[in-house]
Amino acid sequence: MSLGHSSDSSSSDATPASPTPLCIICDQAVVGVAPFSRCHMCSQHLSVDVANLFKLKEEVEELLRAYSQESQESQESRDSQESQGAAGAAGRAALMRHRQDAESLRRLALDIQQQLQEVNQKFDLVQQHIDSFRSRVTGQLSGVLEAVRVCERDLEDVSSYKQEVATAEAAGDMAELLRLVQSMHESLGDLEADFERSERLLRDQSDNEELQVRLLGQLERLVGICAGRSEEGDWLRDAAVTATSEEIDAAEKERLLFDPMVFSHEVKLYVLVQWLAVCSDTSGFVCDRSGRVVPADSAGDRRKPLPQPCIFASFYSNNNHLLVLSVDGSQKLRCHCDIDWKNLIWGLHCDRQLLFIAQCDAVTVTDLSGRAVRRVRPHIEGFGDICGIGGNAASVFVSSGNKIAAFSKATWRMETVITLSQLPHADLCSLKIHDNCILVTDWGHNQVHRVRIDTQQLVASFPTQRSGLQQFAGPRDVAVDSRGRLFVSEFLGHSVRAVAADDGSLLWTLGTPGESGSGDGRFRYPKCLAVVTGGPREQLVVADSFNSRLQVFSAS
C-alpha cells in the first residue's frame, strides 16, 4: 500500500448523514406533525395529541350547546314576561345578563385562541432550535467517527509499511528500502497532525460530564427563548449589522462611531420622568376611548391601535399608571399596572410584549395593558433593595449594592449572583445588556462598569484613559445602540456622554457639561435613556427630567 495518499485521504471531509427526525417527547421516529401542539411526534404521542384536540372540540361544543339552550330559554321567558306587562322589565334584565355572559364568553374564546397561537409559535421555535442543535451534535459525532477511521487507515498504512520494509530487507533490495524510508519520513508530519487532531476530538467527546453541562446550557438558552415572544427578528438584525460591519473598512467604522446624533424634536410632558422602556411590538393591544391600554378584542370595536414603537415612562411621584406615548409625542396613553403604587419604581425593562417593573422588594411582570403575569422576589442573603433592572432573551438582571442577581425568564428561579468583590462600596443602579456583558452605572464611584456574564468578571470601568475624563458627573442611566456606542446620562453634569462600548474612548457629548439649560440639546438633570429602533434611523430618547420633557436625537 502506498503511503503518499495517506494525507489526502485524511484531509477529505466526509459529509455527515442527515439525522432521522425523532419525536420531541421520546426517541421514536416521527410520523407527522401534531395538530394541537404543532410539534413532530411519533404515532403513539400523535394519537394522544389528536385525542386532546377532539376533547377540546367537545368541550367547546358543549359550551355552545349550553349557551344556545340558555339563550332559547331566555327568549321564551322574555316573550312570556313581556306579555304579562310589569314582568317584562325583569325579562329584559335577564336578557341583558345573558348578552353580557355571551360577550364575556366571546372575549374568553379570543383570549384562548391568542394564547394557543403564541404557544404554537413558541413550540415551532423550540423545534427549529432542537433540529439545529441535533444537526450540530450529529456533525460533531460524525467528525469523531471520521477521525477514528483516519486513525484506522493510518494504522493500516503503518502495518503495510512494516511488511514492505521486511520484504525489502529480506530481498536485500537497498534501493527499495531507501525509497520506503524517504516516503515514510515525508508522511510522518501528516500522520502526526492527523493523530493529534483525532486525539483532540476523542478527548473532547470522551468527557461526558463536560458534554452534559454543555448540552444543558444550550437547552437552558432554548427555554429562555421560549419565555416570551420570538426574538428571531433581533437575531437577524444583529446578523445583518455584523455582516455590514465586516464589509466596510476601518475608516468607515470610525466614521460611524464618531458620527454624532443631532437634535430632532422634544416632547413636553409637564411631569418629572423617572424611567423609560421601549416596546417595538404592540400588536394585540389597543387604547380605549378613555386613553387606557387594553387587550384588543376585535378589529371592529372602534379602538385605536397603539403606536409602534412606543415608549413606557414612569414618574418621580407614582400615580396609578405608566405613561405610554409615541416617539413623536402625538399620542399619550395610560397603562394601569397591577403593582403596589405605594412603592417607588426603580427601573423598567421591556422584552417583546412583557414589561418588567422593578420596585425595591420585587419585580412585577405584566403585559402591555398592565395585567400582572408574575411577581419575583430576590430572596438572597446580603442582597438589599433593588436599584436597577435589565435583561436579555433568557434572563433578567437586578442590581443592589455591589451585587447583580440573574433570574431565568423560563423558570423564574435565581440563576446566579455576581458580586464585584473588588468594589465593596459600589452603588450599582441602572444596567443594560450588550455583547454578553452587563453595563451598569455605579453612583458611588461615578463610573460605568462592564461585567462579563459568562465569566462573572469585571473587565473594565469607564471612564478609561482613552475617555479623557476623570469620572462621570453622577452617571444615572446607560443605553447602547447598534453601532456599539454607549450613552451615559450625567445627572449632575447636565449632559449625555457617548463613549465606545469596547474601550471607553470618548466619542462626543450632548449638552454642555456642568451647565444646565432649557434650549434644544441642553439638559437640566437628565435621567433615563432609551434607544428606539425599527424606523429609518435609530433614535436616542433622553428624559430631560427637570425640564419636564423628552428630547429625541436622531442618527445623522
Side-chain angles (χ1 to χ4, degrees), residues 213-285:
V213 170
R214 190 159 60 249
L215 294 176
L216 288 175
Q218 300 236 10
L219 290 176
E220 185 178 13
R221 285 192 290 273
L222 289 178
V223 174
I225 292 171
C226 295
R229 291 139 314 278
S230 169
E231 199 171 327
E232 184 176 357
D234 296 336
W235 295 344
L236 293 176
R237 184 182 66 250
D238 294 341
V241 171
T242 302
T244 303
S245 63
E246 291 176 352
E247 292 174 359
I248 60 179
D249 55 15
E252 182 67 13
K253 289 182 181 180
E254 185 175 359
R255 187 193 68 80
L256 290 176
L257 275 178
F258 284 89
D259 193 12
M261 287 189 168
V262 296
F263 176 81
S264 174
H265 61 276
E266 71 171 9
V267 179
K268 294 297 294 183
L269 297 178
Y270 306 102
V271 290
L272 301 182
V273 175
Q274 179 81 338
W275 299 106
L276 296 176
V278 177
C279 179
S280 300
D281 181 12
T282 60
S283 59
F285 293 90

Side-chain angles (χ1 to χ4, degrees), residues 370-552:
R371 180 178 57 185
V373 177
R374 182 175 293 272
R375 184 169 284 105
V376 184
R377 300 182 184 273
H379 296 296
I380 306 169
E381 183 178 357
F383 197 88
D385 292 344
I386 297 174
C387 294
I389 187 171
N392 54 18
S395 305
V396 57
F397 301 86
V398 291
S399 62
S400 176
N402 68 335
K403 295 180 173 60
I404 301 174
F407 295 88
S408 170
K409 290 182 179 179
T411 62
W412 302 110
R413 295 181 180 178
M414 186 187 70
E415 295 176 324
T416 185
V417 177
I418 302 174
T419 302
L420 303 185
S421 56
Q422 61 271 57
L423 299 172
H425 303 295
D427 186 7
L428 304 182
C429 299
S430 176
L431 57 91
K432 295 293 188 298
I433 309 301
H434 171 68
D435 195 19
N436 199 33
C437 287
I438 302 172
L439 294 164
V440 56
T441 62
D442 183 354
W443 184 267
H445 294 87
N446 288 317
Q447 291 179 316
V448 174
H449 303 301
R450 183 181 180 93
V451 182
R452 290 283 301 181
I453 297 176
D454 49 3
T455 62
Q456 302 184 8
Q457 297 295 318
L458 174 64
V459 295
S461 293
F462 304 145
T464 62
Q465 293 181 352
R466 301 193 62 178
S467 304
L469 302 172
Q470 293 297 325
Q471 60 184 14
F472 292 119
R476 199 58 184 148
D477 197 12
V478 290
V480 187
D481 67 1
S482 62
R483 300 181 184 181
R485 299 184 295 193
L486 170 64
F487 303 104
V488 183
S489 61
E490 292 188 306
F491 185 75
L492 302 178
H494 310 291
S495 60
V496 175
R497 304 283 191 177
V499 301
D502 52 357
D503 61 5
S505 57
L506 180 63
L507 304 177
W508 35 268
T509 302
L510 295 176
T512 303
E515 297 182 9
S516 63
S518 58
D520 296 345
R522 300 291 299 276
F523 306 104
R524 187 180 175 206
Y525 298 104
K527 184 68 182 295
C528 44
L529 306 171
V531 173
V532 179
T533 60
R537 295 180 180 178
E538 280 188 319
Q539 295 176 302
L540 174 66
V541 181
V542 182
D544 191 4
S545 298
F546 282 68
N547 283 323
S548 299
R549 63 179 179 175
L550 300 180
Q551 291 199 64
V552 182

Side-chain angles (χ1 to χ4, degrees), residues 134-153:
R134 182 182 295 140
S135 300
R136 290 198 301 270
V137 173
T138 303
Q140 293 175 359
L141 295 178
S142 299
V144 173
L145 179 60
E146 178 61 24
V148 172
R149 290 175 177 173
V150 169
C151 290
E152 291 178 350
R153 289 195 296 267

Side-chain angles (χ1 to χ4, degrees), residues 290-306:
S290 66
R292 179 172 179 170
V293 178
V294 295
D297 293 330
S298 65
D301 55 4
R302 295 182 181 179
R303 295 179 177 180
K304 297 181 180 179
L306 294 185

Side-chain angles (χ1 to χ4, degrees), residues 151-170:
C151 290
E152 291 178 350
R153 289 195 296 267
D154 291 340
L155 290 176
E156 291 177 357
D157 291 343
V158 171
S159 299
S160 176
Y161 169 77
K162 290 181 178 180
Q163 184 177 359
E164 293 178 2
V165 168
T167 302
E169 288 180 344

Side-chain angles (χ1 to χ4, degrees), residues 76-349:
E76 294 176 355
S77 175
R78 184 180 66 83
D79 295 341
S80 175
Q81 289 177 354
E82 286 182 351
S83 64
Q84 295 177 3
R92 287 190 295 271
L95 178 60
M96 182 63 66
R97 286 195 300 272
H98 285 299
R99 289 179 177 177
Q100 292 176 351
D101 293 340
E103 180 67 17
S104 300
L105 182 61
R106 184 179 65 84
R107 293 183 178 181
L108 178 61
L110 291 174
D111 188 31
I112 292 175
Q113 182 180 4
Q114 182 179 0
Q115 293 179 8
L116 286 176
Q117 292 176 352
E118 293 178 355
V119 169
N120 289 335
Q121 293 175 356
K122 295 173 186 176
F123 272 100
D124 289 342
L125 183 61
V126 170
Q127 182 65 39
Q128 294 174 4
H129 285 279
I130 288 177
D131 292 340
S132 177
F133 178 63
R134 182 182 295 140
S135 300
R136 290 198 301 270
V137 173
T138 303
Q140 293 175 359
L141 295 178
S142 299
V144 173
L145 179 60
E146 178 61 24
V148 172
R149 290 175 177 173
V150 169
C151 290
E152 291 178 350
R153 289 195 296 267
D154 291 340
L155 290 176
E156 291 177 357
D157 291 343
V158 171
S159 299
S160 176
Y161 169 77
K162 290 181 178 180
Q163 184 177 359
E164 293 178 2
V165 168
T167 302
E169 288 180 344
D173 190 349
M174 294 297 104
E176 179 65 16
L177 183 61
L178 178 61
R179 186 189 66 80
L180 291 173
V181 170
Q182 291 177 345
S183 177
M184 188 60 183
H185 184 270
E186 294 174 356
S187 303
L188 278 177
D190 295 334
L191 289 174
E192 184 176 359
D194 292 340
F195 178 79
E196 291 179 355
R197 181 174 64 88
S198 302
E199 184 183 37
R200 183 172 60 253
L201 287 173
L202 292 173
R203 183 175 61 252
D204 292 341
Q205 296 298 329
S206 62
D207 192 345
N208 292 330
E209 293 184 358
E210 182 181 354
L211 179 61
Q212 290 176 2
V213 170
R214 190 159 60 249
L215 294 176
L216 288 175
Q218 300 236 10
L219 290 176
E220 185 178 13
R221 285 192 290 273
L222 289 178
V223 174
I225 292 171
C226 295
R229 291 139 314 278
S230 169
E231 199 171 327
E232 184 176 357
D234 296 336
W235 295 344
L236 293 176
R237 184 182 66 250
D238 294 341
V241 171
T242 302
T244 303
S245 63
E246 291 176 352
E247 292 174 359
I248 60 179
D249 55 15
E252 182 67 13
K253 289 182 181 180
E254 185 175 359
R255 187 193 68 80
L256 290 176
L257 275 178
F258 284 89
D259 193 12
M261 287 189 168
V262 296
F263 176 81
S264 174
H265 61 276
E266 71 171 9
V267 179
K268 294 297 294 183
L269 297 178
Y270 306 102
V271 290
L272 301 182
V273 175
Q274 179 81 338
W275 299 106
L276 296 176
V278 177
C279 179
S280 300
D281 181 12
T282 60
S283 59
F285 293 90
V286 297
C287 64
D288 59 16
R289 295 180 179 178
S290 66
R292 179 172 179 170
V293 178
V294 295
D297 293 330
S298 65
D301 55 4
R302 295 182 181 179
R303 295 179 177 180
K304 297 181 180 179
L306 294 185
Q308 186 167 306
C310 67
I311 300 174
F312 287 79
S314 65
F315 313 130
Y316 269 99
S317 57
N318 286 353
N319 294 330
N320 61 349
H321 65 275
L322 300 178
L323 180 64
V324 184
L325 64 157
S326 58
V327 179
D328 60 4
S330 60
Q331 299 185 55
K332 295 183 178 69
L333 312 170
R334 304 187 312 278
C335 175
H336 293 268
C337 302
D338 297 334
I339 63 174
D340 183 4
W341 287 99
K342 297 179 182 178
N343 295 330
L344 291 177
I345 295 176
W346 286 96
L348 297 176
H349 167 62

Side-chain angles (χ1 to χ4, degrees), residues 9-27:
S9 62
S10 61
S11 62
S12 62
D13 295 330
T15 302
S18 300
T20 303
L22 300 179
C23 178
I24 193 174
I25 300 177
C26 62
D27 294 332

